[in-house]
């Protein structure tokens, strides 16, 4: 972060100094976990139901060396910047810092699937052009967002942030905290539809990202998703369509996949064409990489370098299309970080592609947060697995049963679906069943499902690095 005096910082967040030296310099980091506080840092105390950050305020100063504490109530003997709402104050502080960094370009992205993946792709390109700050993993909410933004300083050229939404106004708020000049909208699907109510509301919420762009900004929009394409009308900025549609300005043609599901394509841009060979698995990475390419092009990366850089991209955030081979000849696709119908469809297509001449097994768990769409969303995924010709389906947990129902409803499917009660049962079943040559996909909503992927990883060590 950029150094700020306590007085300066208090002014930025509309706070009141209590017992703090106004001239003392905060040099960062800014932390809300008191164990991470370092000398020169600021501790932000959130009032919580279970844990109250203010209980750790004294320790953050005495042991951690915090210059002051940003909080909502006074703590005896602790130098404080007092505010009504520390969360909002954190956002205001991030904004104040960004406003003092004119050489910094903020790149924001949103979508229903692929934000973290594409954030990582973009950051791998921008780091070639200048110092880049991007968070590890998601960090896409009202805490993670300002937390990441506050790591930018005078040397930072690019700040890459994913903007998540669980309701209308969320993306707009995150854009107030860190206003992007370049915005990327990947897709509009049904993730979190339980909170939103309808796909239209999700489109409305995602589009907030482009509404706030300045006239000299750029909106990178997925030409292949009609709801994203329509966002052209919602921005004052220039727009660039990316995708496989014929009118996309940044486009992929002649897409082919290798036996690991890695795409090769010809990149078509207004500057010419170049061959691209991705090292990351999944057909859906074509669109993600095109979005990243549009950002890098806007920032000045020449076409030849761009094509080469796209080929060098990896997937640093874990459990997203992590493909690895086991010593026993089984290939595992660990895509267990999270699941919704669209990302599960993408993963199933990758499985089917990689398993064209191998036995394919999909271990599919419950997809959370689908609300009223829950039953249909699961059934749709089951049907797709069968239609793609997946050989074995292992449906994990009773609440995922509609996946099984969907699969067995496909009359001419030659495969088989098995319902198992939980992750341990799935692991036991796989242990019995797996044989050399199999390709196994593991997919579901988070923690519980990834136990299966972890077991597959532990039981036979990797014989070869995956796509990460
Ligand atoms: N463009 C895409 N379309 C569909 N699924 C995708 C896409 N990009 C990534 N995914 C898959 O979606 C899941 C979530 O990916 P992630 O990058 O963490 O997205 P988010 O941050 O939006 O939740 C992973 O399984 C990933 O492989
Ligand atoms: Mg994410």
């Amino acid at each position: 972060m950029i150094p700020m005096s306590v007085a300066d910082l208090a002014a930025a967040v509309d706070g009141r100094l209590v017992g703090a030296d106004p001239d003392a310099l905060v040099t960062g980091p800014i932390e809300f976990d008191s164990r991470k506080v370092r000398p020169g840092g600021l501790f932000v105390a959130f009032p919580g139901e279970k844990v109250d950050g203010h209980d750790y305020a004294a320790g953050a100063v005495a042991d951690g060396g915090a210059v002051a504490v940003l909080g909502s109530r006074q703590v005896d003997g602790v130098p404080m910047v007092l505010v009504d709402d520390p969360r909002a104050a954190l956002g205001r502080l991030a904004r104040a810092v960004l406003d003092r960094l004119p050489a910094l370009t903020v790149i924001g992205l949103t979508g229903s699937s692929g934000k973290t993946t594409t954030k990582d792709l973009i950051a791998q390109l921008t780091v070639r052009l200048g110092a880049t700050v991007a968070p590890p993993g998601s960090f896409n909410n009202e805490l993670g967002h300002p937390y990441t933004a506050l790591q930018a300083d005078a040397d930072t050229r690019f700040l890459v942030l994913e903007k998540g939404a669980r309701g209308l106004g969320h993306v707009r708020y995150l854009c107030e905290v860190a206003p992007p000049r370049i915005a990327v909208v990947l897709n509009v699907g049904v993730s979190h539809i339980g909170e939103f109510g309808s796909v239209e509301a999700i489109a409305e919420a995602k589009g907030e990202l482009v509404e706030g762009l300045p006239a000299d900004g750029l909106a990178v929009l997925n030409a292949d998703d009609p709801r994203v394409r329509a966002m052209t009308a919602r921005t004052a900025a220039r727009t660039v369509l990316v995708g496989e549609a014929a009118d996309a300005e940044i486009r992929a043609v002649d897409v082919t996949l290798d036996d690991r599901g890695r795409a090769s394509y010809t990149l078509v841009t207004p500057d010419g064409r170049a061959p691209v060979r991705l090292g990351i698995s999944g057909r859906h990475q074509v669109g993600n990489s095109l979005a990243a390419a549009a950002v890098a092009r806007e920032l000045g990366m020449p076409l030849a370098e761009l094509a080469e850089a796209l080929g060098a991209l990896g997937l640093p955030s874990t459990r997203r299309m992590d493909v690895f081979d086991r010593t026993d000849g089984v290939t595992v696709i660990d895509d267990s970080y999270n699941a919704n119908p669209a990302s599960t469809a993408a993963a199933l297509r990758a499985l089917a592609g990689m398993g064209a001449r191998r036995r394919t097994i999909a271990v599919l768990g419950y997809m959370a947060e689908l609300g009223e769409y829950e039953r249909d969303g699961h059934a749709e995924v089951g049907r797709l697995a069968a239609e793609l010709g997946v050989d074995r389906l292992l449906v994990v947990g009773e609440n995922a049963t509609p996946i099984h129902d969907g699969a067995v409803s496909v009359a001419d499917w030659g495969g088989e679906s098995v319902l198992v009660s939980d992750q341990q049962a799935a692991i036991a079943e796989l242990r019995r069943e797996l044989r050399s040559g199999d390709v196994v996909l593991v997919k579901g909503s988070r923690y519980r499902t990834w136990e299966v992927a972890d077991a597959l990883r532990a039981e036979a060590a990797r014989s070869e690095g995956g796509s990460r």
Side-chain angles (χ1 to χ4, degrees), residues 54-97:
H54 296 83
D55 294 342
Y56 299 86
V61 174
D63 309 331
V67 176
V69 174
L70 178 65
S72 53
R73 69 174 163 79
Q74 223 166 305
V75 181
D76 283 345
V78 173
M80 295 208 55
V81 177
L82 274 182
V83 292
D84 291 337
D85 179 351
R87 270 170 214 267
L90 186 68
R92 282 202 296 275
L93 180 59
R95 175 60 185 266
V97 165

Side-chain angles (χ1 to χ4, degrees), residues 6-241:
V6 171
D8 197 5
L9 194 149
V13 301
D14 241 347
R16 192 162 57 86
L17 291 188
V18 178
D21 170 7
D23 297 325
L25 210 55
V26 177
T27 52
I30 298 199
E31 297 291 353
F32 34 85
D33 177 340
S34 61
R35 291 163 299 189
K36 290 190 180 166
V37 172
R38 298 283 170 268
L42 178 82
F43 175 61
V44 185
F46 295 118
E49 278 150 32
K50 290 206 197 83
V51 187
D52 185 342
H54 296 83
D55 294 342
Y56 299 86
V61 174
D63 309 331
V67 176
V69 174
L70 178 65
S72 53
R73 69 174 163 79
Q74 223 166 305
V75 181
D76 283 345
V78 173
M80 295 208 55
V81 177
L82 274 182
V83 292
D84 291 337
D85 179 351
R87 270 170 214 267
L90 186 68
R92 282 202 296 275
L93 180 59
R95 175 60 185 266
V97 165
L98 295 180
D99 283 348
R100 294 177 192 193
L101 299 173
L104 178 78
T105 298
V106 178
I107 300 147
L109 67 158
T110 195
S112 295
S113 307
K115 293 181 293 298
T116 297
T117 299
T118 309
K119 176 265 298 168
D120 290 334
L121 302 185
I122 292 171
Q124 288 170 72
L125 296 180
T126 60
V127 76
R128 292 167 174 250
L129 300 167
T132 296
V133 170
S138 280
F139 276 64
N140 62 5
N141 65 16
E142 80 278 10
L143 287 188
H145 214 72
Y147 180 81
T148 305
L150 283 164
Q151 286 163 17
D153 63 22
D155 296 326
T156 312
R157 288 295 160 269
F158 308 107
L159 175 63
V160 190
L161 296 169
E162 65 174 274
K163 309 216 179 224
R166 287 167 175 268
L168 286 174
H170 290 187
V171 170
R172 182 171 306 127
Y173 172 71
L174 296 176
C175 289
E176 280 165 21
V177 172
R181 186 173 76 71
I182 303 178
V184 179
V185 186
L186 294 168
N187 45 48
V188 172
V190 293
S191 62
H192 301 307
I193 195 163
E195 282 114 339
F196 283 102
S198 70
V199 182
E200 289 68 34
I202 295 175
E204 182 64 29
K206 306 281 182 214
E208 290 170 5
L209 184 67
V210 302
E211 283 179 343
L213 284 173
D216 70 342
L218 181 73
V220 177
L221 299 174
N222 180 358
D224 301 329
D225 184 322
R227 292 193 181 87
V228 176
R229 180 188 267 267
M231 291 175 192
T232 313
R234 290 173 64 183
T235 184
R238 288 170 294 131
T239 58
V240 56
L241 291 177

Side-chain angles (χ1 to χ4, degrees), residues 288-308:
N288 294 343
S289 64
L290 289 172
V295 172
R297 177 174 181 268
E298 167 75 3
L299 296 172
M301 189 179 285
L303 180 61
E305 182 183 354
L306 186 53
E308 178 266 312

Side-chain angles (χ1 to χ4, degrees), residues 345-402:
L348 285 169
R349 291 202 165 88
L351 172 69
M354 286 173 56
R357 279 177 292 279
R358 303 170 64 176
R359 188 167 74 139
T360 51
I361 301 172
V363 183
L364 301 181
Y366 177 67
M367 297 180 285
E369 300 172 317
L370 292 177
E372 277 176 24
Y373 185 63
E374 180 166 315
R375 203 188 151 75
D376 289 353
H378 284 83
E380 191 183 289
V381 151
R383 268 197 306 278
L384 179 68
E387 282 161 11
L388 288 168
V390 169
D391 296 306
R392 299 274 289 158
L393 199 55
L394 222 56
V395 178
V396 188
E398 200 182 334
N399 49 11
T401 305

